[in-house]
Amino acid sequence: GENVEQHPSTLSVQEGDSAVIKCTYSDSASNYFPWYKQELGKGPQLIIDIRSNVGEKKDQRIAVTLNKTAKHFSLHITETQPEDSAVYFCAALNYGGSQGNLIFGKGTKLSVKP
Amino acid sequence: DTAVSQTPKYLVTQMGNDKSIKCEQNLGHDTMYWYKQDSKKFLKIMFSYNNKELIINETVPNRFSPKSPDKAHLNLHINSLELGDSAVYFCASSAGTDQPQHFGDGTRLSIL
């Protein structure tokens, strides 16, 4: 089955700097890759996603890149702000198979210092 | 309006009891899910329902049973609670199995 590795587990940056979180997946048939932000006491919130027919997607300060050959995808946050502090999860989904499981990475705790 | 709502937010109970967690979504989605998040924040799918049919059933104990009275609701029943069941349980929904999933704010279950 699919396995998703996420790095780093913790990331501390200064306000205004960029943050990059990387994930690798094992199942080459996976074709949908969302990123979630989880704040304390809240559920995961989708912030951006990418499908396997696209190499990059951007939404304001957030961008995601996908390298299907290497089976890795990354989240890029520019001009970080203290409110970006949260736990971020990557995930991979193979929805063409018999089971459409969304497999999550173990999360990255991002701290943005003012 | 809350898109995916769960009740209760906190649930404290004793080992051996039976409890239920309710979930409702007002997004008109066809698919609903239950996830378990352990103390290390690891999120794992437990069940999903598509048009009231179970389409994924991960290797969870049969003490856990999802019940969907209609497309907008997916409740989670847990029998004979054990210490290891302590976790945060999240409900989610999506328009289809290949569509973005929207999560509720979770139910923190604590077993004494």
Side-chain angles (χ1 to χ4, degrees), chain A residues 32 36 38 40-44 46 49 51 87 89 93 95 98-102 104-106, chain B residues 9 33 35 37 40-43 45 55-56 58 90 97-106:
Chain A
Y32 173 64
Y36 286 86
Q38 186 176 20
L40 198 62
K42 298 286 188 181
L46 180 71
D49 57 7
R51 296 191 186 270
V87 179
F89 292 94
L93 172 67
Y95 60 79
S98 58
Q99 292 185 348
N101 279 356
L102 192 59
F104 283 84
K106 292 189 175 181
Chain B
K9 189 171 177 66
Y33 313 81
Y35 286 85
Q37 187 172 47
K40 296 184 178 180
K41 296 282 191 180
F42 185 52
L43 269 166
I45 183 78
I55 57 174
I56 301 175
E58 288 295 312
F90 287 100
T97 53
D98 63 339
Q99 297 301 311
Q101 295 183 18
H102 300 260
F103 284 75
D105 281 338

Side-chain angles (χ1 to χ4, degrees), chain B residues 10-70:
Chain B
Y10 300 97
L11 185 52
V12 181
T13 189
Q14 293 192 331
M15 230 172 20
N17 284 351
D18 302 337
K19 290 293 178 184
S20 296
I21 306 172
K22 294 185 177 181
C23 178
E24 177 182 4
Q25 54 96 2
N26 62 6
L27 298 168
H29 285 168
D30 287 333
T31 309
M32 295 184 71
Y33 313 81
W34 277 106
Y35 286 85
K36 180 180 180 180
Q37 187 172 47
D38 62 21
S39 57
K40 296 184 178 180
K41 296 282 191 180
F42 185 52
L43 269 166
K44 187 172 181 180
I45 183 78
M46 297 178 71
F47 303 102
S48 73
Y49 256 75
N50 187 2
N51 289 326
K52 297 179 65 175
E53 291 185 33
L54 182 67
I55 57 174
I56 301 175
N57 186 349
E58 288 295 312
T59 54
V60 298
N62 57 14
R63 298 181 295 103
F64 291 78
S65 56
K67 286 184 172 54
S68 179
D70 55 57

Side-chain angles (χ1 to χ4, degrees), chain A residues 43-80:
Chain A
Q45 180 184 12
L46 180 71
I47 56 172
I48 196 167
D49 57 7
I50 192 168
R51 296 191 186 270
S52 58
N53 58 347
V54 175
E56 183 174 359
K57 186 176 178 181
K58 191 174 181 180
D59 182 5
Q60 299 181 3
R61 297 186 296 108
I62 294 173
V64 57
T65 59
L66 171 64
N67 183 327
K68 286 190 297 182
T69 303
K71 290 189 284 188
H72 67 69
F73 56 113
S74 300
L75 177 72
H76 305 253
I77 306 173
T78 58
E79 301 172 26
T80 54

